[in-house]
Amino acid sequence: MNTAKSDDPEGDDLVPLSALNALLYCDRRAALRHLDGLYIHNEHTLRGDSLHKRVDAPGFEKRKGVRTERGLWIASRRLRLFGRADLVEFRREPGRPQRGAAVVEVASPVEYKRGKKRRWDNDDVQLCAQALCLEEMLGTAVLSGAVYHEQSKSRRNVEFTPELRAETENAVARLHALLGSGRIPPAVLKPQCRGCSLRGHCLPEAFGSPDNITIYLRELFHAE
């Protein structure tokens, strides 16, 4: 059974950051993906993968006051998470304290999404988790980031408030509990099922309630 953990020699059991987004979209989908290794493409996943192949290819860019890193690998040993940030901006802010002669930069992660500009809690939690990884790696506070929506070509700023940080920490704990259990949650028919690439394997219509399961099994084993 694939538990989606890294092969870290120190045994840190790191889990992909993207699993957080999957968990908040649907815990059953997250388990099917990261426990059973089930990944099926549809038009939505193909477009999303195509976008990330373009934007998170490793690279470096510098313009006045801003340094950007694309495809930056990040991790948190405390949260047992790892992943690759689409883009991280580093900028010097007025009044920011110095460390000796070195300039202390402020980091801001930017996550690229295919859809229109709108707020989804799972996007904000995934972005906040990136910020927590950066804080641990850099030893400095990461106060805000952004979600860039390709379809509307617009950018939505996200402040990493205490409430969002707490929500993210809780989601991380839920994720590790889910993957640690090794169990697939039962199917529940939800609005998210409409665009889910795993719908044909999850079968929420058939297994979303005990009555549906009984009907499905009766028709399966008593078909003429």
Side-chain angles (χ1 to χ4, degrees):
M1 183 174 285
N2 176 18
T3 56
K5 296 176 181 179
S6 74
D7 296 325
D8 187 89
E10 298 183 10
D12 284 340
D13 295 334
L14 303 183
V15 173
L17 276 161
S18 59
L20 272 178
N21 198 309
L23 175 78
L24 294 176
Y25 184 86
C26 172
D27 57 353
R28 179 172 169 84
R29 176 184 171 87
L32 289 171
R33 173 69 183 96
H34 295 285
L35 285 176
D36 281 1
L38 185 61
Y39 190 77
I40 307 296
H41 278 298
N42 64 8
E43 61 175 315
H44 304 296
T45 61
L46 287 171
R47 289 175 181 173
D49 286 355
S50 176
L51 170 64
H52 282 92
K53 284 180 181 178
R54 296 200 309 271
V55 304
D56 64 7
F60 171 89
E61 182 181 329
K62 190 171 184 180
R63 60 185 188 274
K64 187 176 181 180
V66 182
R67 177 171 62 90
T68 61
E69 295 274 0
R70 291 186 179 273
L72 182 66
W73 285 101
I74 56 178
S76 167
R77 293 185 180 275
R78 179 178 69 85
L79 297 177
R80 291 182 291 150
L81 294 175
F82 79 102
R84 189 161 62 176
D86 290 340
L87 185 148
V88 180
E89 297 177 338
F90 297 89
R91 66 182 75 238
R92 166 81 185 283
E93 290 188 350
R96 190 75 173 182
Q98 304 289 306
R99 289 179 183 169
V103 174
V104 178
E105 297 174 310
V106 178
S108 296
V110 180
E111 178 71 10
Y112 280 69
K113 295 297 179 183
R114 184 183 59 82
K116 297 179 181 179
K117 183 178 180 180
R118 51 188 171 181
R119 181 182 184 274
W120 295 107
D121 288 342
N122 48 330
D123 291 344
D124 289 5
V125 165
Q126 182 181 2
L127 187 69
C128 186
Q130 293 180 22
L132 295 176
C133 290
L134 287 167
E135 287 183 338
E136 185 173 321
M137 294 171 64
L138 301 174
T140 186
V142 178
L143 304 180
S144 64
V147 177
Y148 180 82
H149 300 267
E150 187 192 38
Q151 187 172 343
S152 55
K153 306 298 182 186
S154 57
R155 177 167 166 150
R156 177 173 59 83
N157 292 326
V158 178
E159 182 182 354
F160 303 129
T161 63
E163 293 78 15
L164 179 56
R165 289 170 180 268
E167 183 181 358
T168 302
E169 297 269 1
N170 290 336
V172 171
R174 283 178 51 207
L175 176 63
H176 286 301
L178 174 67
L179 299 184
S181 74
R183 298 175 180 175
I184 307 295
V188 178
L189 183 61
K190 298 178 285 189
Q192 296 96 306
C193 297
R194 181 176 302 174
C196 180
S197 63
L198 301 185
R199 186 171 185 169
H201 294 263
C202 176
L203 299 175
E205 293 86 354
F207 298 113
S209 74
D211 290 341
N212 287 348
I213 295 174
T214 301
I215 295 171
Y216 179 83
L217 292 176
R218 185 189 307 129
E219 292 179 350
L220 179 65
F221 291 106
H222 293 85
E224 295 182 359

